[in-house]
Amino acid sequence: MLVAEKIGKRFTGVIALQDVSMQLRPGRVTAIIGENGAGKSTLMKILSGVYAEYEGRILLNGAEVRFANPKEAQEKGISIIHQELNLIPDLSITENIFLGRELTDRWGLLNKKAMRERTALLLQRLKLNVSADILVRDLKVGQQQVIEIAKALLLESQVIIMDEPTSAISEAEVEILFGIIEQLRAEGKIIAYISHKLDELFRIADDFVVLRDGQVTETGTMKGIDHDAIVRKMVGRDIARLEHNRAPADAAEDLLSVAALSWHAGNKQLLKNISFSLRRGEVLGIFGLMGAGRTELLECILGLHAGEHTGDMRLNGVSLDVRSPRDAIRAGLVLVPEDRKKDGLIPGLDVKTNISLSILRSLGRNGLLNNQAERSLAEHYKDSLRIKTPNLEQQVRHLSGGNQQKVILARCLATNPKVLMLDEPTRGIDVNAKNEIYKLILELAESGLGIIVVSSELPEILTVSDRILVLCEGKISGTFPRATAGEDDILKAAIPKTI
Amino acid sequence: MPMGLSNYRASLTRFQSFIALLILCIALSLLSNKFLTIENGWNVLRQISVNVCISVGMTLVVLTAGIDLSVGSILAFSGAVAAGLLKNGIPWPAHDLFIGFTLLGTIVAALIVGAALGFFNGWMITRFKVPPFVATLAMLTIARGLTMLSTKGYPISSLGSKFDFIGSGWLLGIPVLVWISAVTVILAVVLVRKTPLGRYIYAIGGNEQAARLSGIHINRVKIIVYTIGGILAAVGGIMVTSRLDSAQPNAGTNYELDSIAAVVIGGTSLSGGRGTIMGTVLGAIIIGVLNNGLVLLDVSPFWQQVIKGLVILLSVIVDKMNSQEA
């Protein structure tokens, strides 16, 4: 049993955790629930030895433990699987699993055979059917996650903490992950599971701990509570799940039409003969599993792979020749990318600059920046998108995920686009902020934008889309109007027929 | 983290190098009565003026997460071109022609040479995706070779009193060299703080992919930045050549290292996106004062190098400690 007693942690002037007490029991999965900034990550970092200084005590099987660093925590049997995976892409699975604890022979040389054999056993146990020698780079994200779990198993960890393990993987991979978690639970491991996806927690977790503003507001078993009650405990008030009855856009002429788009990269066919159209005021949802070609499709439309693909694109009936994101923006196409940190934000620059970046030149006069115009632009979007920031000079890295996403959205909207594309718009964002983003998407559609939303979360697609396009292995495998779209049908269309 | 705090920290960091410089100056004026004189002050400023110009260009390059190792060689080559054109012009025996160059003509020609080589750097880096380190390392060798070819390995000297004015003259009570570096710094500060291009430079260094998706013409910005780096190296070349009244084939050797040192001491991050022009200027002054002081104190040149290296390490360590706290 892992017990936390009155844990407290403060950063310069800010209380991150206060009086947090909880128990994680063996053979059970405990969901750690809370909005962004509630203190979940801080708590997990204390449990796993990332933060060595804190108030209170941690007891593992009745004895107090205190870790100076993550390595000590691992040695005592606590492993954490971070949201951002800690794997080295150009090393093999075996090399990654044994990194820092390589087996050696009596000459001090690597004992590759023994390591490979133990890796193979682990992979077998986790039902991952790949060779121990292949590079992590060549694995899918879901498979990479399994490698992280294998690392924890190698250490014979008693406690496994998973931080948003499903945020980057497809529904099919989630099933595999859940299978593994069931297995670990049966083996009597203590599992802490952090996720924003409540539906998931109801499937996999036994107990829950709700954090709000650094304090525990409720603990209990998942059986004894329902969805809305948990949300209430998280946010401290009722929030309605977003329901809307938007009339689908009128069948006016097409805003964007894509015809016979195909893309080969090397000998891989990434997109096959994709044709669809988008109307003004319409929200088109694109659903697909990992590797179905969702992101690739958006990237082609945005001109990131100019010259590599075939097919025809028209905007308002006029043929488009988009050779770079710059051309795309000029034509009126913008993308809110999938990975905020990697592709979206300039973390060290302030909120104002992150918003004005795409249209700096047109705001300026005589080749100089116009501070006043920049400020009022940022001010405008801060209000209209309800961006929560102490001020416009705040470095964007300090904002919460939802607000960062709004900043990127603001930058895109500032270019006055005709078509707005959003790739996984709510990844890693808490429930409350998610609904905010959905509302904004619908408002923007009302104002006449054509919107494409790509997502691997079915509830999300079903919430915002007027029409749903399903991709599977680079092809369109189904089109559903919102009215008739059923989860089962969509999933069926998304899953490849041959594996 | 509240905004005020990070701002406060940023200003503290800048303040820090300033305090370091102040302490250095006080210590040196106590140790040597020759240090704190007006004459020596101009001396230091004149000595650092070349490094300031080059380092301003280097700062822009480093802000985009790049590096330019070729500035020393470009400096030498454009200096040699200036000296050669001024002294010999371009003879064209086949048509019995001779093209002579005025002072202004030579300067423009040298700047064009610097711009062209800098542009070539940028072109290699953007068009062929050659890493900046490699592209400019190649240019370091190429431009040095061109210098040797054009000078045949001998200095080109005695360039006339008009040209000499750049390196040794005074204007309104201030050395011309100092005027040049001051104007360079002012233009760079305006570029960085007041123009879209300046923002793009920070954006590219902060997150290149995000900048690309924001519609910024990454390649164009990079080419411009390396071209500016080349032009400022040429400016340095003219300054050095005029000051020595001679274009030396091995001029500017290791200047890229002094300039990177100034950038780093000035607090600019080599991974891009963070740093200031004024920080670099401060860095260059610290190096200059240190050099000057050590000479006045009669410290052996060998020790001078050791000490300079230690100062670079120290400044980066302090910087790191600051950013870790933040």
Side-chain angles (χ1 to χ4, degrees):
Chain A
M1 178 134 78
L2 182 70
V3 179
E5 273 185 10
K6 298 201 168 227
I7 301 287
K9 171 80 186 168
R10 55 184 73 219
F11 299 102
T12 32
V14 187
I15 296 169
L17 288 176
Q18 200 177 9
D19 262 344
V20 170
S21 298
M22 61 174 194
Q23 299 182 346
L24 306 183
R25 287 180 283 166
R28 294 182 77 86
V29 177
T30 306
I32 314 288
I33 308 170
E35 287 192 282
N36 283 347
K40 294 172 307 213
S41 297
T42 310
L43 181 59
M44 293 306 124
K45 281 179 178 166
I46 288 174
L47 290 180
S48 59
V50 177
Y51 295 139
E53 278 171 40
Y54 53 85
E55 296 154 26
R57 306 198 296 162
I58 297 170
L59 304 167
L60 185 58
N61 300 328
E64 185 177 352
V65 287
R66 198 164 260 274
F67 312 120
N69 53 52
K71 184 146 184 155
E72 268 187 41
Q74 283 175 5
E75 280 160 5
K76 288 270 164 56
I78 301 183
S79 286
I80 186 164
I81 295 163
H82 291 280
Q83 203 171 348
E84 284 101 19
L85 300 176
N86 287 319
L87 295 170
I88 304 189
D90 287 306
L91 293 183
S92 73
I93 295 179
T94 306
E95 286 163 334
N96 265 288
I97 288 181
F98 280 92
L99 194 64
R101 43 188 156 268
E102 287 79 2
L103 303 179
T104 50
D105 59 19
R106 64 196 142 121
W107 306 108
L109 302 175
L110 292 175
N111 188 346
K112 291 192 178 169
K113 187 158 170 280
M115 289 193 282
R116 195 176 296 131
E117 279 166 2
R118 287 192 57 185
T119 304
L121 279 177
L122 282 171
L123 294 180
Q124 204 181 350
R125 185 166 152 203
L126 295 173
K127 300 191 178 66
L128 185 60
N129 194 15
V130 295
S131 152
D133 292 327
I134 71 171
L135 299 184
V136 161
R137 176 183 294 291
D138 298 327
L139 295 175
K140 296 184 193 133
V141 183
Q143 294 175 323
Q144 293 182 2
Q145 205 136 36
V146 176
I147 303 304
E148 285 277 11
I149 296 172
K151 258 162 91 178
L153 291 182
L154 177 75
L155 292 163
E156 300 290 338
S157 294
Q158 196 187 346
V159 183
I160 298 175
I161 300 169
M162 299 187 184
D163 191 0
E164 299 264 358
T166 59
S167 66
I169 65 179
S170 68
E171 305 248 345
E173 289 168 322
V174 169
E175 293 307 317
I176 295 169
L177 177 70
F178 282 5
I180 292 170
I181 293 176
E182 303 269 0
Q183 194 182 331
L184 296 174
R185 171 162 54 193
E187 290 170 16
K189 306 275 188 207
I190 300 171
I191 299 167
Y193 190 98
I194 301 174
S195 176
H196 283 121
K197 301 178 187 170
L198 292 182
D199 302 334
E200 226 172 78
L201 296 176
F202 276 100
R203 276 198 50 196
I204 197 71
D206 305 296
D207 305 326
F208 69 85
V209 174
V210 178
L211 287 174
R212 187 168 82 226
D213 302 328
Q215 286 175 298
V216 174
T217 56
E218 185 91 6
T219 59
T221 60
M222 293 302 282
K223 281 210 181 72
I225 195 160
D226 65 14
H227 183 285
D228 293 344
I230 284 198
V231 172
R232 216 157 35 233
K233 307 277 185 221
M234 271 169 67
V235 300
R237 63 181 182 282
D238 283 297
I239 47 171
R241 276 211 255 187
L242 189 67
E243 303 277 347
H244 70 100
N245 252 329
R246 223 169 69 81
D250 52 2
E253 69 270 41
D254 295 340
L255 174 63
L256 175 74
S257 63
V258 172
L261 180 68
S262 293
W263 180 26
H264 293 264
N267 52 7
K268 237 175 156 178
Q269 177 132 38
L270 297 170
L271 295 173
K272 282 176 223 168
N273 199 18
I274 303 248
S275 301
F276 69 91
S277 61
L278 173 74
R279 290 186 289 270
R280 259 176 62 89
E282 184 184 36
V283 182
L284 177 67
I286 298 184
F287 179 78
L289 304 179
M290 273 280 153
R294 303 166 306 185
T295 301
E296 289 80 358
L297 174 58
L298 297 190
E299 286 178 356
C300 283
I301 296 175
L302 202 72
L304 273 170
H305 308 287
E308 297 171 35
H309 50 80
T310 57
D312 185 46
M313 280 198 291
R314 285 168 186 279
L315 189 67
N316 283 326
V318 182
S319 183
L320 274 176
D321 180 29
V322 173
R323 312 202 61 79
S324 68
R326 186 180 160 77
D327 290 350
I329 288 172
R330 282 198 182 153
L333 309 165
V334 284
L335 170 70
V336 177
E338 176 179 12
D339 189 331
R340 270 196 297 286
K341 292 213 174 69
K342 193 167 129 280
D343 302 330
L345 298 169
I346 319 276
L349 293 183
D350 60 17
V351 171
K352 176 168 63 90
T353 310
N354 267 286
I355 291 176
S356 62
L357 196 59
S358 285
I359 57 159
L360 272 182
R361 214 172 276 279
S362 58
L363 287 179
R365 273 179 312 212
N366 311 324
L368 295 182
L369 293 170
N370 181 345
N371 233 316
Q372 197 54 46
E374 256 188 276
R375 167 162 287 283
S376 55
L377 177 86
E379 200 72 59
H380 167 73
Y381 282 109
K382 182 183 167 221
D383 294 343
S384 65
L385 301 187
R386 303 178 282 273
I387 300 172
K388 273 187 221 136
T389 173
N391 54 56
L392 295 171
E393 281 74 30
Q394 173 81 306
Q395 281 191 4
V396 77
R397 76 171 97 210
H398 299 311
L399 264 51
S400 71
N403 284 306
Q404 289 180 342
Q405 193 71 330
K406 289 182 187 176
V407 167
I408 299 172
L409 186 58
R411 182 200 300 158
C412 288
L413 294 177
T415 65
N416 206 2
K418 299 184 181 80
V419 176
L420 173 67
M421 300 183 276
L422 301 117
D423 196 355
E424 301 284 356
T426 64
R427 169 165 296 172
I429 290 179
D430 62 55
V431 179
N432 214 3
K434 262 186 186 180
N435 276 343
E436 279 268 307
I437 301 271
Y438 296 155
K439 257 188 247 163
L440 287 172
I441 290 173
L442 298 175
E443 283 171 25
L444 290 168
E446 287 298 327
S447 77
L449 276 176
I451 298 180
I452 300 177
V453 176
V454 158
S455 177
S456 55
E457 288 181 44
L458 252 185
E460 174 160 304
I461 286 282
L462 289 167
T463 304
V464 296
S465 314
D466 296 320
R467 197 154 53 99
I468 296 159
L469 214 65
V470 183
L471 286 183
C472 176
E473 296 183 319
K475 285 180 293 197
I476 293 182
S477 58
T479 312
F480 303 88
R482 171 180 155 86
T484 63
E487 290 202 25
D488 297 352
D489 299 333
I490 295 177
L491 261 179
K492 217 178 278 167
I495 295 169
K497 300 293 166 283
T498 52
I499 299 180
Chain B
M1 183 81 42
M3 162 67 199
L5 206 64
S6 68
N7 230 14
Y8 167 73
R9 230 178 258 284
S11 59
L12 190 78
T13 316
R14 200 181 302 177
F15 218 46
Q16 240 165 19
S17 2
F18 197 72
I19 293 170
L21 178 62
L22 221 60
I23 294 172
L24 191 63
C25 288
I26 293 170
L28 287 173
S29 51
L30 292 177
L31 290 168
S32 162
N33 55 6
K34 282 180 246 159
F35 179 76
L36 207 62
T37 60
I38 290 173
E39 196 192 341
N40 191 48
W42 287 129
N43 208 1
V44 171
L45 287 180
R46 258 202 320 247
Q47 274 163 2
I48 65 166
S49 57
V50 173
N51 193 23
V52 166
C53 288
I54 298 177
S55 302
V56 163
M58 186 69 79
T59 309
L60 300 180
V61 169
V62 171
L63 279 175
T64 67
I67 192 90
D68 189 349
L69 301 179
S70 65
V71 287
S73 298
I74 294 182
L75 175 147
F77 185 52
S78 40
V81 166
L85 290 179
L86 193 61
K87 194 150 176 165
N88 306 324
I90 303 177
W92 201 346
H95 295 80
D96 203 18
L97 268 176
F98 173 82
I99 305 172
F101 276 79
T102 61
L103 180 60
L104 187 64
T106 20
I107 290 173
V108 170
L111 295 180
I112 288 173
V113 165
L117 298 187
F119 179 88
F120 188 82
N121 278 337
W123 188 51
M124 288 294 122
I125 289 163
T126 53
R127 175 70 179 79
F128 300 103
K129 309 286 170 221
V130 182
F133 191 97
V134 179
T136 60
L137 180 66
M139 180 55 76
L140 177 145
T141 312
I142 293 170
R144 183 64 62 189
L146 291 175
T147 314
M148 294 299 173
L149 284 170
S150 67
T151 61
K152 303 192 177 62
Y154 296 105
I156 304 171
S157 307
S158 306
L159 303 168
S161 64
K162 269 197 200 154
F163 188 64
D164 194 45
F165 179 72
I166 299 171
S168 327
W170 293 65
L171 205 66
L172 306 176
I174 294 173
V176 176
L177 286 177
V178 176
W179 275 114
I180 296 174
S181 53
V183 169
T184 304
V185 168
I186 291 167
L187 288 178
V189 169
V190 170
L191 171 79
V192 160
R193 306 237 304 239
K194 301 278 180 204
T195 69
L197 180 64
R199 283 286 171 74
Y200 298 162
I201 289 171
Y202 281 92
I204 290 173
N207 186 345
E208 182 167 329
Q209 182 63 6
R212 177 174 291 117
L213 290 178
S214 303
I216 293 173
H217 208 309
I218 308 281
N219 290 356
R220 185 184 297 164
V221 173
K222 283 192 180 172
I223 288 179
I224 291 174
V225 163
Y226 283 92
T227 306
I228 293 175
I231 293 173
L232 289 178
V235 170
I238 294 164
M239 291 160 84
V240 168
T241 308
S242 165
R243 186 154 150 233
L244 300 175
D245 194 20
S246 165
Q248 301 281 337
N250 61 353
T253 311
N254 289 345
Y255 275 29
E256 61 282 350
L257 301 182
D258 264 355
S259 128
I260 294 169
V263 171
V264 166
I265 292 176
T268 297
S269 156
L270 282 181
S271 48
R274 194 169 61 88
T276 59
I277 296 289
M278 289 319 287
T280 298
V281 172
L282 215 53
I285 295 178
I286 289 176
I287 295 175
V289 167
L290 200 66
N291 277 339
N292 174 268
L294 294 174
V295 170
L296 289 181
L297 295 178
D298 233 357
V299 176
S300 121
F302 306 142
W303 273 115
Q304 288 180 27
Q305 297 192 21
V306 174
I307 293 170
K308 215 156 77 180
L310 292 175
V311 168
I312 294 173
L313 283 178
L314 189 72
S315 73
V316 174
I317 290 169
V318 170
D319 209 32
K320 276 271 181 266
M321 278 170 13
N322 270 324
S323 59
Q324 258 162 27
E325 278 168 38

